[in-house]
Amino acid sequence: QVQLVESGGGSVQAGGSLRLSCAASGLTFSNYPMGWFRQAPGKERESVAAISWSGSNTAYADSVKGRFTISRDNAKNAVYLQMNSLKPEDTAVYYCAASGSRYSIPTKEYECDFWGQGTQVTVSS
């Protein structure tokens, strides 16, 4: 079955960096556009970044533009989120997701067919 497993979360001070990874199995990874979403306590889940199946196209939430970078390695069945200049408001559970629509850049939850279990990111001031 399809599995998406996030790793790399943790606690960091404001201004610090983290790199999240998402390892995929049970699917032909290169066929799937991928997205990173996050959910803070008491808030709805929101899109952070997304990437096309080839990696040539990306999209970012305005709140993370210039600070976060999404990338993928189709040979390793993995997608990454490099997070720099972290702020306390970036504190959330971060999820990776896969879209079954090959030509999408998934920034909406309904575009995603498979989800990971999430990894916690906590940024202290």
Side-chain angles (χ1 to χ4, degrees):
Q1 78 264 24
V2 175
Q3 281 195 313
L4 301 175
V5 180
E6 301 96 337
S7 61
S11 296
V12 65
Q13 288 193 329
S17 298
L18 284 173
R19 187 190 193 216
L20 304 184
S21 299
C22 173
S25 61
L27 75 173
T28 304
F29 181 72
S30 60
N31 286 347
Y32 286 79
M34 300 294 293
W36 283 98
F37 294 76
R38 67 185 180 188
Q39 187 167 23
K43 294 189 176 182
E44 294 187 352
R45 189 154 54 183
E46 62 176 0
S47 172
V48 176
I51 190 166
S52 62
W53 67 269
S54 66
S56 59
N57 293 294
T58 58
Y60 295 93
D62 287 343
S63 59
V64 307
K65 278 181 183 176
R67 300 188 298 123
F68 290 12
T69 303
I70 188 171
S71 62
R72 67 187 295 157
D73 186 337
N74 286 344
K76 294 183 178 180
N77 288 358
V79 62
Y80 308 99
L81 186 68
Q82 178 67 43
M83 306 187 293
N84 298 330
S85 303
L86 282 161
K87 304 175 180 180
E89 51 263 44
D90 295 318
T91 295
V93 177
Y94 283 70
Y95 301 88
C96 71
S99 170
S101 177
R102 191 171 193 219
Y103 298 103
S104 71
I105 303 176
T107 59
K108 305 293 185 186
E109 288 188 66
Y110 66 80
E111 295 180 295
C112 299
D113 299 281
F114 304 105
W115 293 84
Q117 82 290 348
T119 186
Q120 176 71 46
V121 171
T122 302
V123 184
S124 58
S125 56

